Amino acid sequence: TKEELLNNIVILDFFTEDSCRHAEETALPELYRTGFINEVPYQLLKKNGDIIDVLLSATVEQDESGNMIGSFAVLTDVTELKRAEKEMKSIKRDGIPTMESCPECGERLLLRSGRFGMFMGCPAYPDCEYTCNVESGKPKAAEPIPTDKKCPQ
C-alpha cells in the first residue's frame, strides 16, 4: 500500500522538517498519481547538522498488473549552485569592489549592474553621486594626464 511504502522511505529521516512536510503533502502524492516526479527541491541534514540542497527525481516501479512495487530515485546535490546563485544576487545588489578610486570623494568604486548595463558607482551614494559607464565589461579608459616624465623605451 501507499502507507507501507511511505513508512519504508528511509530517506525521509534525513529531510529537514519543512522538506519532509513537502514530501508527504505534495511530492509523494504527485509520485503516486503520475508515477514520477522531476527535480523537486529539498534540504537534507548531514550528520554534523549542516544542510545540503538537493533536487530529487523519482519514478515508480510497477508489476505486470500496474501495482506499485518500488521506486527509483536520484538526488542531485545543488548546494554549491544555490550558494553561487545567492552570491550572484548579492554581487548584483551590492556591487564588486574595484581598484579605481572615486575622483570626487576617494572611496573605492563599485562595479554594478543597472538597467542600462554595467557601470561603476561610488559606495558613498547618496552623499556622493559619482558614476561612470563601463563598456564591454571594462571601464572607459581615463583621459591621459600630461606630465613632464618620459615613458621608458
Side-chain angles (χ1 to χ4, degrees):
T1 68
K2 291 179 185 177
E3 290 76 29
E4 290 172 328
L5 184 58
L6 180 60
N7 290 335
N8 288 320
I9 298 180
V10 178
I11 196 165
L12 289 179
D13 294 342
F14 301 101
F15 280 30
T16 63
E17 190 175 315
D18 288 342
S19 289
C20 193
R21 185 173 25 263
H22 177 70
E24 291 171 342
E25 295 174 0
T26 306
L28 288 175
E30 178 73 9
L31 178 64
Y32 301 142
R33 189 176 62 74
T34 65
F36 71 95
I37 53 175
N38 190 38
E39 295 188 344
V40 179
Y42 288 110
Q43 290 188 317
L44 301 180
L45 288 169
K46 293 171 67 175
K47 285 182 182 180
N48 65 4
D50 288 349
I51 294 177
I52 60 172
D53 293 296
V54 298
L55 295 176
L56 176 98
S57 296
T59 60
V60 296
E61 184 180 358
Q62 299 174 331
D63 63 16
E64 300 81 28
S65 302
N67 298 316
M68 189 182 326
I69 59 173
S71 65
F72 176 76
V74 175
L75 291 171
T76 305
D77 184 346
V78 292
T79 306
E80 285 302 310
L81 178 64
K82 290 276 191 179
R83 184 200 57 74
E85 287 173 349
K86 186 177 179 181
E87 188 174 314
M88 288 301 293
K89 285 179 184 176
S90 172
I91 287 172
K92 189 170 183 176
R93 181 186 68 244
D94 301 333
I96 302 170
T98 68
M99 298 305 292
E100 308 266 340
S101 294
C102 176
E104 294 180 12
C105 73
E107 292 281 336
R108 281 182 51 191
L109 294 174
L110 298 174
L111 183 62
R112 292 193 159 147
S113 176
R115 63 181 174 183
F116 300 113
M118 300 299 290
F119 71 98
M120 288 196 298
C122 185
Y125 179 86
D127 296 329
C128 178
E129 296 183 355
Y130 178 81
T131 62
C132 66
N133 292 329
V134 176
E135 294 176 354
S136 305
K138 297 178 184 174
K140 284 185 176 177
E143 291 296 318
I145 301 170
T147 67
D148 55 353
K149 295 184 182 179
K150 296 258 184 202
C151 289
Q153 298 290 331

